[in-house]
Amino acid sequence: GIQVEQSPPDLILQEGANSTLRCNFSDSVNNLQWFHQNPWGQLINLFYIPSGTKQNGRLSATTVATERYSLLYISSSQTTDSGVYFCAAPGAMEYGNKLVFGAGTILRVKS
Amino acid sequence: DTEVTQTPKHLVMGMTNKKSLKCEQHMGHRAMYWYKQKAKKPPELMFVYSYEKLSINESVPSRFSPECPNSSLLNLHLHALQPEDSALYLCASSPMGLAGEQFFGPGTRLTVL
């Protein structure tokens, strides 16, 4: 099945800094999701981005499907950005749209 | 209404107890999912319901029993759990049957004593 790898595994930023998180996937995908898991465990949808670029406030994401990677950009980071960022892609249809998650990037933003 | 709700938020149970987790969505989504997440790990799929029928069971032990009474509700019945079943249980839904963007609820944090 598909494999999803994220980098870096950990990231510490000073408030106001920018960062880029990377997600590589082993097979072609028809969708790719980015999530932020807050300290209470809630998985918040950031982007649904099978290809191209999307922006939402200080966050943006780019997926290059032909090269099997996606990037999440965080600009002017804030302490509330802390948490775990996951990317996830679906396995094959016979797996029932099972989302395969990367191991996550743990982000800590210091004030 | 654009959210998935889960109750309870926290649950502590003994190994001989029977309890249920509840998930609800009113977005008209036709696929619903249960995931299990251990600390410092990504979520892992347990079950998928599509159009109220069980589509996927990821070899989950029978002490976990899912139920989908209607298109808006998903339950997870728990019986004779083990301490290693302590985890965050996440429910999700997606609009397009077995495809499309998945939306997650806030989770139930389960502790088995």
Side-chain angles (χ1 to χ4, degrees):
Chain A
I2 191 170
Q3 294 179 22
V4 179
E5 294 181 355
Q6 292 186 241
S7 60
D10 293 278
L11 187 58
I12 300 175
L13 297 177
Q14 198 62 39
E15 197 170 27
N18 304 327
S19 65
T20 301
L21 282 56
R22 186 176 180 103
C23 175
N24 293 333
F25 37 94
S26 61
D27 206 348
S28 57
V29 298
N30 57 16
N31 81 61
L32 189 290
Q33 290 191 240
W34 282 99
F35 298 93
H36 174 214
Q37 188 163 41
N38 65 23
W40 297 272
Q42 170 89 57
L43 271 173
I44 299 163
N45 288 42
L46 297 178
F47 294 101
Y48 176 73
I49 181 166
S51 63
T53 297
K54 291 186 178 180
Q55 179 148 11
N56 184 0
R58 296 182 295 103
L59 302 182
S60 64
T62 295
T63 297
V64 183
T66 53
E67 297 187 24
R68 300 180 183 172
Y69 73 88
S70 183
L71 302 174
L72 178 68
Y73 305 96
I74 304 174
S75 64
S76 304
S77 58
Q78 300 176 357
T79 55
T80 51
D81 294 330
S82 296
V84 185
Y85 289 79
F86 289 106
C87 66
M93 280 303 294
E94 59 263 33
Y95 297 112
N97 196 26
K98 167 183 175 178
L99 272 184
V100 178
F101 285 78
T105 292
I106 301 173
L107 174 64
R108 299 181 184 88
V109 181
K110 294 185 170 182
S111 58
Chain B
D1 189 352
T2 57
E3 66 174 350
V4 178
T5 59
Q6 289 186 245
T7 54
K9 286 187 169 54
H10 301 273
L11 179 62
V12 179
M13 61 186 290
M15 289 189 285
T16 58
N17 292 156
K18 286 186 182 181
K19 296 285 185 185
S20 297
L21 309 184
K22 181 180 172 181
C23 173
E24 195 164 3
Q25 58 88 14
H26 294 288
M27 297 180 280
H29 290 180
R30 301 314 302 268
M32 296 185 77
Y33 310 77
W34 281 115
Y35 288 82
K36 174 182 177 180
Q37 186 178 21
K38 300 285 277 184
K40 300 187 187 300
K41 297 289 187 183
E44 293 181 341
L45 183 69
M46 300 174 73
F47 302 104
V48 181
Y49 273 83
S50 177
Y51 293 88
E52 297 140 62
K53 287 187 170 38
L54 184 64
S55 297
I56 299 287
N57 176 340
E58 288 284 285
S59 302
V60 178
S62 59
R63 58 186 183 268
F64 295 91
S65 175
E67 178 197 19
C68 189
N70 60 55
S71 60
S72 300
L73 277 175
L74 186 65
N75 298 320
L76 186 63
H77 303 298
L78 314 172
H79 174 54
L81 294 193
Q82 304 296 309
E84 59 265 29
D85 296 321
S86 298
L88 180 68
Y89 288 84
L90 293 161
C91 174
S93 69
S94 63
M96 293 161 55
L98 296 178
E101 186 175 6
Q102 291 187 27
F103 297 85
F104 283 78
T108 293
R109 200 165 293 279
L110 173 68
T111 302
V112 182
L113 299 176

